[in-house]
Amino acid sequence: MSSATTIIEPTKQKSGRSEIQRIFDLQKENQFEVANTSASQRIAKLKKLHEAVLKYRSQIKEALHNDYRKHPSEVDLTEIYPVTSEIKHVKRDLKSWMRGEDVKTPLAMMGSSAYIRYEPKGVVLIISPWNFPINLTFGPLASAIAAGNTVMIKPSEMTPHASALMSKIVKEVFEEHEVALLEGGVETSTELLKLPFNHIFFTGAPSIGKIVMKAAAEHLTSVTLELGGKSPTIVDETANVKLAARRIAWGKYVNNGQVCIAPDYAFVHERQMEAFIGEFKKQMKTFYTEDASSEPSYARIVNQKHFKRVKSYIDDAIAKGATIEAGADLDDSQDYIAPTLMTNVAKDSKLMTEEIFGPVLPVYSYTNIDSVIEQINAKEKPLALYIYSKKQSNIKHIIHNTRAGGTCINHNAAHFYNTNLPFGGSNNSGIGKAHGFEGFKSFSNARAVFKQHIPNALDLLTPPYDNFKQRLIDLTIKWF
Ligand code: NAD
């Protein structure tokens, strides 16, 4: 078999402290060489990554099937395409991003000019999660390379096949003094986090984001934190219920609900509730048949730990009086939880106090949109908030009175695919942004460059101060 069709088995590789330090030192030594590369040199590197992702496309699919039975087409849509489209975006625009930006000169600073130069932060660390292992590792990597950094990567231990394959790809495409991937779990992350990186790009849970930020604070390392949370969905009285049900069912069950921007729970206007439940159940069957366990399009929960977590949320909701509208069948031998729809879920149940991150949708009916807004605002700011409506004033009212990292109107999760939009959360759902120019900027320092051409006002205002100079200062404050 050719190298592109050999299955890569997970390694038990753990990177110890000395190995981590060795690579860090190597990258630190090499950082200016990488930093001073031209746009075409960086694009050439990204082209190699792009080619490798396509070369290993079938192995990526196999790896993700082995990790949690993800369907190959879903791998294409949610792992391969986001990476190739991110790289294409960088290839298209990198030259203009690297050119920097000229800024205006205030009148008082006449005789000078100024511009912003985006320079690489230096040696950066990317820590990625398991739920879209390829996408959320190689996507940020594309931005970090575009910005001219050297990069150390720690993927998740929960998708070992994907991590082992990414390790092989990284070794094949890059020299370790520019990009290195270190497999391992929490202990590897912990070792890495002790080092004085110039930036850390972390994707994962808010609770772990706090650990990362605390460690970063030790070295005053800047961070981008791509976190999670509960993303609410509102279906108002004017929404096209059939379309809403179809899109919400897709957003909820793709990747088995293990999506940071999945619609976590839904509020449906009471006039639409019955129709919504009916349409949603129809969509569940259309997508996954009567028995999703035998439908190959339906992935599994990643492992027993997370299976038990989601099961405990369902059990807790049922114990507190929730109604199962559909699903809730479980098979722990294969980490299977059927696509599930629930109503009457107590607001204090785990399904509503924790991020679900699994194929369960709690739905509530509402009459008053302001009470919905109040309930949303009582929780942490979500990574995404979705609105299904045909009424502009409703959409505006909801957007203006809530906060979220991103919003889709009449869709969900689709904003991730538009790399012209900043992607990320706010406070508990994240700090900083990814994708396109925003991703490039996250991995760059916006260096302020000021150039004096002819004598300026400051030259006239040096000590010793006297009445004439004070008058000039007064005039400057008054008029400029
Ligand atoms: P996680 O936070 O458990 O793990 C993420 C990474 O952090 C892994 O590489 C893991 O090894 C490492 N890690 C775990 N515990 C650590 C610790 N104590 N110290 C240092 N490193 C540690 O997250 P996960 O379970 O892989 O992913 C699920 C979470 O990620 C969800 O909350 C989801 O919403 C969020 N997420 C966010 C985005 C986004 O773009 N905003 C995307 C995907 C997932």
Tab-separated table of all heavy atoms in Angstrom, residues 388-417:
chain	number	residue	atom	x	y	z
A	388	TYR	N	-34.507	32.313	14.099
A	388	TYR	CA	-35.320	31.954	12.926
A	388	TYR	C	-36.520	32.879	12.920
A	388	TYR	O	-37.347	32.842	13.834
A	388	TYR	CB	-35.755	30.485	12.991
A	388	TYR	CG	-34.589	29.554	12.730
A	388	TYR	CD1	-33.738	29.175	13.758
A	388	TYR	CD2	-34.320	29.096	11.450
A	388	TYR	CE1	-32.650	28.351	13.509
A	388	TYR	CE2	-33.232	28.275	11.192
A	388	TYR	CZ	-32.403	27.905	12.219
A	388	TYR	OH	-31.336	27.105	11.968
A	389	SER	N	-36.564	33.747	11.920
A	389	SER	CA	-37.631	34.744	11.883
A	389	SER	C	-37.708	35.357	10.488
A	389	SER	O	-36.711	35.398	9.767
A	389	SER	CB	-37.317	35.855	12.902
A	389	SER	OG	-38.267	36.887	12.803
A	390	LYS	N	-38.916	35.846	10.150
A	390	LYS	CA	-39.024	36.612	8.893
A	390	LYS	C	-39.234	38.085	9.213
A	390	LYS	O	-39.420	38.892	8.309
A	390	LYS	CB	-40.234	36.106	8.095
A	390	LYS	CG	-40.037	34.735	7.471
A	390	LYS	CD	-41.267	34.385	6.629
A	390	LYS	CE	-41.307	32.913	6.322
A	390	LYS	NZ	-42.687	32.414	6.199
A	391	LYS	N	-39.287	38.403	10.511
A	391	LYS	CA	-39.652	39.771	10.892
A	391	LYS	C	-38.413	40.544	11.329
A	391	LYS	O	-37.815	40.254	12.373
A	391	LYS	CB	-40.667	39.702	12.030
A	391	LYS	CG	-41.450	40.964	12.227
A	391	LYS	CD	-42.604	40.700	13.168
A	391	LYS	CE	-43.235	42.015	13.573
A	391	LYS	NZ	-44.208	41.815	14.632
A	392	GLN	N	-38.059	41.543	10.520
A	392	GLN	CA	-36.847	42.309	10.757
A	392	GLN	C	-36.805	42.922	12.155
A	392	GLN	O	-35.770	42.917	12.820
A	392	GLN	CB	-36.733	43.393	9.668
A	392	GLN	CG	-35.347	43.948	9.462
A	392	GLN	CD	-34.254	42.875	9.370
A	392	GLN	OE1	-34.410	41.836	8.720
A	392	GLN	NE2	-33.155	43.094	10.075
A	393	SER	N	-37.985	43.442	12.601
A	393	SER	CA	-37.973	44.121	13.908
A	393	SER	C	-37.699	43.106	15.033
A	393	SER	O	-37.046	43.428	16.027
A	393	SER	CB	-39.285	44.869	14.143
A	393	SER	OG	-40.359	43.971	14.061
A	394	ASN	N	-38.196	41.876	14.887
A	394	ASN	CA	-37.899	40.841	15.904
A	394	ASN	C	-36.407	40.522	15.913
A	394	ASN	O	-35.788	40.412	16.969
A	394	ASN	CB	-38.656	39.542	15.588
A	394	ASN	CG	-40.109	39.614	15.998
A	394	ASN	OD1	-40.569	40.657	16.458
A	394	ASN	ND2	-40.842	38.537	15.820
A	395	ILE	N	-35.850	40.364	14.713
A	395	ILE	CA	-34.422	40.010	14.598
A	395	ILE	C	-33.577	41.094	15.256
A	395	ILE	O	-32.688	40.827	16.061
A	395	ILE	CB	-34.037	39.831	13.106
A	395	ILE	CG1	-34.815	38.654	12.494
A	395	ILE	CG2	-32.539	39.649	12.934
A	395	ILE	CD1	-34.722	38.534	10.984
A	396	LYS	N	-33.912	42.346	14.920
A	396	LYS	CA	-33.154	43.483	15.455
A	396	LYS	C	-33.277	43.539	16.983
A	396	LYS	O	-32.286	43.727	17.697
A	396	LYS	CB	-33.698	44.770	14.821
A	396	LYS	CG	-32.804	45.951	14.977
A	396	LYS	CD	-33.281	47.106	14.135
A	396	LYS	CE	-32.716	48.387	14.711
A	396	LYS	NZ	-33.357	49.583	14.199
A	397	HIS	N	-34.508	43.332	17.457
A	397	HIS	CA	-34.749	43.393	18.901
A	397	HIS	C	-33.896	42.345	19.641
A	397	HIS	O	-33.279	42.639	20.666
A	397	HIS	CB	-36.241	43.164	19.171
A	397	HIS	CG	-36.616	43.264	20.612
A	397	HIS	ND1	-36.598	44.454	21.310
A	397	HIS	CD2	-36.975	42.306	21.524
A	397	HIS	CE1	-36.941	44.238	22.568
A	397	HIS	NE2	-37.179	42.936	22.721
A	398	ILE	N	-33.859	41.140	19.080
A	398	ILE	CA	-33.100	40.062	19.744
A	398	ILE	C	-31.597	40.368	19.686
A	398	ILE	O	-30.905	40.293	20.703
A	398	ILE	CB	-33.413	38.681	19.096
A	398	ILE	CG1	-34.873	38.321	19.311
A	398	ILE	CG2	-32.499	37.596	19.668
A	398	ILE	CD1	-35.373	37.167	18.452
A	399	ILE	N	-31.123	40.755	18.498
A	399	ILE	CA	-29.680	41.024	18.382
A	399	ILE	C	-29.259	42.167	19.310
A	399	ILE	O	-28.248	42.081	20.001
A	399	ILE	CB	-29.293	41.332	16.916
A	399	ILE	CG1	-29.402	40.051	16.072
A	399	ILE	CG2	-27.867	41.891	16.828
A	399	ILE	CD1	-28.925	40.173	14.643
A	400	HIS	N	-30.065	43.224	19.352
A	400	HIS	CA	-29.666	44.400	20.131
A	400	HIS	C	-29.751	44.183	21.640
A	400	HIS	O	-29.156	44.923	22.403
A	400	HIS	CB	-30.520	45.607	19.732
A	400	HIS	CG	-30.117	46.157	18.405
A	400	HIS	ND1	-30.226	47.471	18.052
A	400	HIS	CD2	-29.583	45.547	17.324
A	400	HIS	CE1	-29.785	47.653	16.820
A	400	HIS	NE2	-29.397	46.492	16.356
A	401	ASN	N	-30.509	43.180	22.054
A	401	ASN	CA	-30.697	42.994	23.496
A	401	ASN	C	-30.048	41.733	24.060
A	401	ASN	O	-30.325	41.336	25.186
A	401	ASN	CB	-32.195	43.025	23.828
A	401	ASN	CG	-32.741	44.431	23.640
A	401	ASN	OD1	-32.428	45.329	24.418
A	401	ASN	ND2	-33.498	44.629	22.569
A	402	THR	N	-29.210	41.099	23.235
A	402	THR	CA	-28.457	39.934	23.721
A	402	THR	C	-26.993	40.126	23.318
A	402	THR	O	-26.672	41.030	22.547
A	402	THR	CB	-28.967	38.625	23.071
A	402	THR	OG1	-28.899	38.762	21.648
A	402	THR	CG2	-30.370	38.276	23.503
A	403	ARG	N	-26.147	39.242	23.811
A	403	ARG	CA	-24.736	39.233	23.407
A	403	ARG	C	-24.356	37.816	23.018
A	403	ARG	O	-24.805	36.854	23.642
A	403	ARG	CB	-23.838	39.701	24.555
A	403	ARG	CG	-24.011	41.177	24.920
A	403	ARG	CD	-23.467	42.088	23.830
A	403	ARG	NE	-23.739	43.500	24.078
A	403	ARG	CZ	-24.801	44.157	23.643
A	403	ARG	NH1	-25.720	43.543	22.930
A	403	ARG	NH2	-24.964	45.436	23.905
A	404	ALA	N	-23.517	37.678	21.984
A	404	ALA	CA	-23.047	36.356	21.557
A	404	ALA	C	-21.809	36.532	20.701
A	404	ALA	O	-21.603	37.592	20.091
A	404	ALA	CB	-24.131	35.638	20.753
A	405	GLY	N	-20.999	35.468	20.637
A	405	GLY	CA	-19.815	35.513	19.772
A	405	GLY	C	-20.205	35.684	18.310
A	405	GLY	O	-19.569	36.415	17.560
A	406	GLY	N	-21.258	35.007	17.899
A	406	GLY	CA	-21.735	35.108	16.516
A	406	GLY	C	-23.208	34.784	16.452
A	406	GLY	O	-23.784	34.218	17.388
A	407	THR	N	-23.828	35.169	15.344
A	407	THR	CA	-25.264	34.906	15.169
A	407	THR	C	-25.552	34.500	13.731
A	407	THR	O	-24.988	35.079	12.802
A	407	THR	CB	-26.086	36.162	15.558
A	407	THR	OG1	-26.231	36.168	16.974
A	407	THR	CG2	-27.471	36.180	14.945
A	408	CYS	N	-26.406	33.518	13.569
A	408	CYS	CA	-26.948	33.215	12.236
A	408	CYS	C	-28.433	33.558	12.260
A	408	CYS	O	-29.112	33.269	13.249
A	408	CYS	CB	-26.845	31.737	11.893
A	408	CYS	SG	-25.181	31.106	11.696
A	409	ILE	N	-28.878	34.134	11.188
A	409	ILE	CA	-30.309	34.390	11.042
A	409	ILE	C	-30.830	33.389	10.014
A	409	ILE	O	-30.317	33.300	8.896
A	409	ILE	CB	-30.544	35.848	10.588
A	409	ILE	CG1	-30.008	36.794	11.663
A	409	ILE	CG2	-32.020	36.102	10.299
A	409	ILE	CD1	-29.663	38.153	11.166
A	410	ASN	N	-31.812	32.625	10.438
A	410	ASN	CA	-32.407	31.550	9.618
A	410	ASN	C	-31.400	30.460	9.247
A	410	ASN	O	-31.505	29.850	8.173
A	410	ASN	CB	-33.101	32.119	8.378
A	410	ASN	CG	-34.281	32.984	8.782
A	410	ASN	OD1	-35.013	32.626	9.711
A	410	ASN	ND2	-34.449	34.122	8.133
A	411	HIS	N	-30.449	30.234	10.096
A	411	HIS	CA	-29.549	29.087	9.966
A	411	HIS	C	-28.822	28.900	11.288
A	411	HIS	O	-28.974	29.722	12.203
A	411	HIS	CB	-28.537	29.279	8.830
A	411	HIS	CG	-28.249	27.977	8.121
A	411	HIS	ND1	-27.972	26.811	8.777
A	411	HIS	CD2	-28.234	27.672	6.796
A	411	HIS	CE1	-27.797	25.840	7.910
A	411	HIS	NE2	-27.964	26.313	6.685
A	412	ASN	N	-28.047	27.821	11.378
A	412	ASN	CA	-27.161	27.683	12.537
A	412	ASN	C	-25.819	27.080	12.123
A	412	ASN	O	-25.746	26.296	11.180
A	412	ASN	CB	-27.778	26.860	13.673
A	412	ASN	CG	-28.566	25.660	13.222
A	412	ASN	OD1	-29.670	25.425	13.699
A	412	ASN	ND2	-28.024	24.895	12.288
A	413	ALA	N	-24.807	27.503	12.824
A	413	ALA	CA	-23.432	27.002	12.650
A	413	ALA	C	-22.795	27.405	11.316
A	413	ALA	O	-21.588	27.276	11.145
A	413	ALA	CB	-23.356	25.488	12.820
A	414	ALA	N	-23.598	27.906	10.375
A	414	ALA	CA	-23.092	28.194	9.031
A	414	ALA	C	-22.084	29.350	9.022
A	414	ALA	O	-21.249	29.437	8.111
A	414	ALA	CB	-24.248	28.507	8.099
A	415	HIS	N	-22.145	30.228	10.016
A	415	HIS	CA	-21.221	31.366	10.040
A	415	HIS	C	-19.768	30.910	10.145
A	415	HIS	O	-18.860	31.635	9.754
A	415	HIS	CB	-21.574	32.354	11.161
A	415	HIS	CG	-21.525	31.777	12.551
A	415	HIS	ND1	-22.191	30.645	12.930
A	415	HIS	CD2	-20.872	32.191	13.667
A	415	HIS	CE1	-21.962	30.391	14.209
A	415	HIS	NE2	-21.157	31.316	14.680
A	416	PHE	N	-19.563	29.701	10.669
A	416	PHE	CA	-18.194	29.175	10.781
A	416	PHE	C	-17.522	29.109	9.412
A	416	PHE	O	-16.308	29.280	9.282
A	416	PHE	CB	-18.224	27.765	11.412
A	416	PHE	CG	-16.862	27.193	11.674
A	416	PHE	CD1	-16.227	27.397	12.891
A	416	PHE	CD2	-16.177	26.478	10.695
A	416	PHE	CE1	-14.951	26.880	13.137
A	416	PHE	CE2	-14.906	25.963	10.925
A	416	PHE	CZ	-14.295	26.167	12.151
A	417	TYR	N	-18.351	28.834	8.384
A	417	TYR	CA	-17.795	28.596	7.053
A	417	TYR	C	-17.406	29.879	6.317
A	417	TYR	O	-16.748	29.806	5.293
A	417	TYR	CB	-18.815	27.834	6.193
A	417	TYR	CG	-18.909	26.366	6.555
A	417	TYR	CD1	-20.006	25.865	7.240
A	417	TYR	CD2	-17.901	25.478	6.204
A	417	TYR	CE1	-20.101	24.515	7.563
A	417	TYR	CE2	-17.986	24.129	6.522
A	417	TYR	CZ	-19.081	23.654	7.199
A	417	TYR	OH	-19.159	22.327	7.526
